[in-house]
Amino acid sequence: MPEHRNKGYARQAIREAEKIHGSENWCLDTILQEKGNIRLYEKLGYRQTGRIEKINDKMDIVFFIKM
């Protein structure tokens, strides 16, 4: 929802999950075309694995890891 974007909610939620479960050895994926998600994960230390899975002509899934 646009009114909740760019307020740090997602960043804080990920940090809280990492506090509970540790901040290493995480894997996640997101839609490649969602550039905001990619920026968020990279800011939090996640790196693309190089694996991209094509879903259709408009959507690809990109995979991340945090060691």
Side-chain angles (χ1 to χ4, degrees):
M1 295 171 54
E3 64 269 23
H4 299 293
R5 290 183 185 216
N6 300 313
K7 293 187 177 181
Y9 300 140
R11 181 179 60 245
Q12 188 61 36
I14 292 170
R15 285 185 176 153
E16 290 299 321
E18 290 178 345
K19 281 183 192 176
I20 294 167
H21 301 288
S23 62
E24 297 179 350
N25 300 313
W26 283 88
C27 297
L28 58 83
D29 57 76
T30 192
I31 298 169
L32 179 63
Q33 290 77 12
E34 293 286 338
K35 300 304 180 193
N37 288 353
I38 292 172
R39 278 193 305 273
L40 168 67
Y41 297 139
E42 289 178 342
K43 278 190 212 179
L44 291 170
Y46 291 79
R47 298 293 167 241
Q48 292 186 33
T49 66
R51 179 179 169 208
I52 298 174
E53 189 174 308
K54 185 174 186 65
I55 302 301
N56 59 42
D57 289 339
K58 296 182 181 180
M59 185 169 76
D60 303 286
I61 301 295
V62 61
F63 294 82
F64 288 81
I65 192 164
K66 184 174 184 182
M67 300 301 281

